[in-house]
Amino acid sequence: MSGMGQDVNSPDAGAEQAATDRLLDLVRSFVTTHVSWKPLFIGAVITGDDLMRLYFRSPEWDRTYGVDVLISQVGPGLLGSLVSPAFLANEHLHQPSDDPHCDVLVDLTDY
């Protein structure tokens, strides 16, 4: 039986490598001296061919945010806004979370 053991939902190798490269760039940009009032980047997961969920912990609100982004659209403007406590605290962007790793979801796939 061919195909046994293969995950039918896994992205193709090219898309996975592009997502991994972008994720490493993101991690490098978030690794900095922690400032107590800034959200803390705590992880990420690739959720689709061009989708990724970034996780941030808010020191002010005692909650974890899951932020959905398009991998191909992640750039300096989005990164700058994500480290702003006011941006993540904007309740108009919040959605209920079905993710056990975060309290609030923020969909920035249209950013």
Side-chain angles (χ1 to χ4, degrees):
M1 295 180 137
S2 67
M4 288 200 53
Q6 292 181 353
D7 184 357
V8 294
N9 293 324
S10 63
D12 67 72
E16 187 173 359
Q17 184 60 50
T20 301
D21 291 344
R22 185 62 63 122
L23 180 57
L24 288 173
D25 289 342
L26 280 169
V27 169
R28 286 185 195 107
S29 69
F30 288 130
V31 174
T32 182
T33 303
H34 180 62
V35 180
S36 63
W37 51 267
K38 278 188 171 183
L40 179 64
F41 174 68
I42 58 172
V45 63
I46 297 169
T47 57
D49 285 341
D50 193 31
L51 296 170
M52 180 169 25
R53 181 167 289 166
L54 306 172
Y55 294 97
F56 293 88
R57 184 80 182 147
S58 170
E60 295 179 342
W61 299 101
D62 192 33
R63 66 174 65 148
T64 300
Y65 297 91
V67 181
D68 293 329
V69 297
L70 293 174
I71 296 166
S72 61
Q73 300 299 315
V74 174
L78 178 64
L79 296 176
S81 64
L82 289 174
V83 296
S84 165
F87 190 79
L88 288 179
N90 182 349
E91 293 188 12
H92 296 289
L93 298 174
H94 297 177
Q95 299 173 4
S97 175
D98 59 351
D99 183 337
H101 304 293
C102 61
D103 304 304
V104 176
L105 290 176
V106 178
D107 183 1
L108 295 182
T109 56
D110 290 334
Y111 184 85

